[in-house]
Amino acid sequence: MSLLALALLAGWSTSNPAQIAKGKEVYETACILCHGKDGAGNPEWESEIRPVSFADCGTTAEPSALWKSVVVNGGPKHGLADVMPAFGEAFPPDELTAVVAYLRTFCTTADRYPPGDLNFRRLIATGKAFPEAEVVMKMKIVPDEGETELEFVYENRLGPRFQYELEFPLRPKATNEGYGAGVGDVVISGKYVLGFNPSKLQIFSAGLEVALPTGNEGKALGSGTTVFVPYFAFGKGIRGSVVQGKFAVELPANTNRASRNYKYALAYSFPPIGFSRTGYVPALELTGAFNPGNDSHSQTAVVGVSKALNKLGHVIASVGMGIPLRPSGGPKPKEFRAYLLWDFGDGPFWQGW
């Protein structure tokens, strides 16, 4: 797909005039007292709790299903304050949908932001196209080799579509082969959303990772050279399930120390079991790397499941098993993989339990 075609996907619309007008009526009837005329969380009565500001465009990262559930079921359903009542029996469903659409208009530049409906669940091995504000701790254990790998990731957003990221890999103990413990090659990266289409549930991004030679090459903690990794990522919703992918090429500054590799990851996550924000999400992933220098090709299948740990759904854990598929000969030690994620863009860690 050309960049021009991707550009045509940009933007999402909150401009259904009839729906927005109806939503405004509902808001002024039931919401304005607590949330204020401007939606910025300025209640018109004395309250110890300041409501969320709908004018904060960071809230666009939250899916509409969550907002509607809070409106329908009330705050306690999602670990929020009980001053937020449930309106599910006070208004018909179409009016509740309309008020959620109206809430989106308080961010005056909402059309420039990818909506939270495209913020698909993070999987274990496959990257995301959506720009995030998260802290993630990843873990991979290969019992047969006595190896444990940890990775600490910090991601944050700048503006509607850009995300920067810092990755700190760590091997806490030496392996059976004698590779030592320590910090690996630190990675800095940036990602930009090229385009998105909410009606088709699709999003496309491109980015660049730069792996710095901070790890000890002799301990197999690093490559010994800077490695540039341009990549392309996408996400696509299909009837409740999601397909995600990432394609990248590793370009070492010194090819005598590291080889060029083509890497890919493709994933299919099944419809959530339970509420999409907090339910179980089973997934099947395929990751691979091809080295054209020696014509080697490795592949691993990853079977996993993720689940939000709290009612708000911004603290998530995932566990899974990696099963090597290629190369075909020799031993194929299985891998145990997991992550723990805190989406700090949705609030403090302790909120929403």
Side-chain angles (χ1 to χ4, degrees):
M1 182 177 289
S2 68
L3 290 180
L4 175 60
L6 289 172
L8 293 175
L9 295 175
W12 66 293
S13 177
T14 55
S15 58
N16 181 330
Q19 186 182 53
I20 297 303
K22 175 56 67 175
K24 185 173 186 293
E25 290 180 13
V26 176
Y27 182 85
E28 292 178 347
T29 299
C31 312
I32 196 170
L33 183 64
C34 293
H35 291 279
K37 294 180 180 179
D38 58 0
N42 298 311
E44 298 184 3
W45 59 291
E46 292 296 326
S47 174
E48 296 181 356
I49 298 175
R50 183 185 176 97
V52 65
S53 173
F54 301 124
D56 178 3
C57 292
T59 59
T60 58
E62 298 169 355
S64 298
L66 173 63
W67 285 29
K68 186 169 182 179
S69 182
V70 172
V71 173
V72 172
N73 301 302
K77 171 76 174 181
H78 296 282
L80 302 175
D82 57 9
V83 296
M84 174 63 197
F87 290 99
E89 297 182 1
F91 296 93
D94 62 320
E95 293 188 2
L96 297 175
T97 299
V99 76
V100 170
Y102 176 69
L103 297 179
R104 296 294 195 188
T105 67
F106 285 113
C107 167
T108 57
T109 57
D111 289 352
R112 298 173 54 196
Y113 286 76
D117 303 321
L118 302 179
N119 189 1
F120 304 124
R121 179 72 62 85
R122 176 187 285 271
L123 305 181
I124 292 176
T126 306
K128 294 182 66 173
F130 196 90
E132 293 287 7
E134 295 179 341
V135 174
V136 188
M137 185 181 74
K138 302 178 182 178
M139 178 175 62
K140 182 172 77 171
I141 299 175
V142 187
D144 292 348
E145 298 179 355
E147 180 168 2
T148 300
E149 296 179 5
L150 300 177
E151 188 175 284
F152 300 90
V153 182
Y154 174 82
E155 304 170 337
N156 206 353
R157 296 179 64 166
L158 289 175
R161 301 189 181 201
F162 184 76
Q163 172 199 299
Y164 66 90
E165 181 175 330
L166 301 172
E167 300 179 21
F168 302 91
L170 172 67
R171 183 185 295 144
K173 63 178 182 179
T175 69
N176 294 345
E177 289 76 16
Y179 297 123
V183 177
D185 287 350
V186 173
V187 178
I188 59 175
S189 63
K191 176 171 67 181
Y192 186 80
V193 178
L194 298 175
F196 55 92
N197 188 321
S199 64
K200 295 184 178 180
L201 290 178
Q202 57 193 28
I203 181 171
F204 306 88
S205 297
L208 176 65
E209 301 173 354
V210 181
L212 306 175
T214 55
N216 187 311
E217 188 179 6
K219 294 181 178 181
L221 287 168
S223 64
T225 184
T226 301
V227 179
F228 301 92
V229 188
Y231 69 87
F232 171 79
F234 72 91
K236 170 68 175 175
I238 303 175
R239 296 182 180 179
S241 58
V242 177
V243 175
Q244 297 184 78
K246 181 178 180 180
F247 303 91
V249 55
E250 295 181 342
L251 304 173
N254 185 341
T255 54
N256 292 323
R257 287 183 173 272
S259 301
R260 175 178 296 186
N261 282 288
Y262 298 94
K263 305 186 75 173
Y264 58 88
L266 290 170
Y268 179 80
S269 52
F270 301 87
I273 302 172
F275 180 57
S276 60
R277 174 75 172 184
T278 58
Y280 290 92
V281 177
L284 178 63
E285 304 175 73
L286 175 68
T287 67
F290 175 70
N291 184 332
N294 57 19
D295 202 33
S296 63
H297 189 185
S298 61
Q299 282 185 331
T300 300
V302 181
V303 181
V305 62
S306 59
K307 173 73 171 68
L309 301 181
N310 63 346
K311 296 178 182 178
L312 185 58
H314 75 320
V315 178
I316 301 171
S318 181
V319 295
M321 179 71 70
I323 306 169
L325 303 177
R326 300 181 62 165
S328 56
K332 297 181 179 180
K334 292 181 174 59
E335 308 165 350
F336 171 77
R337 300 194 186 194
Y339 75 64
L340 178 65
L341 176 158
W342 165 37
D343 185 343
F344 61 84
D346 283 352
F349 186 90
W350 58 86
Q351 185 179 33
W353 295 84

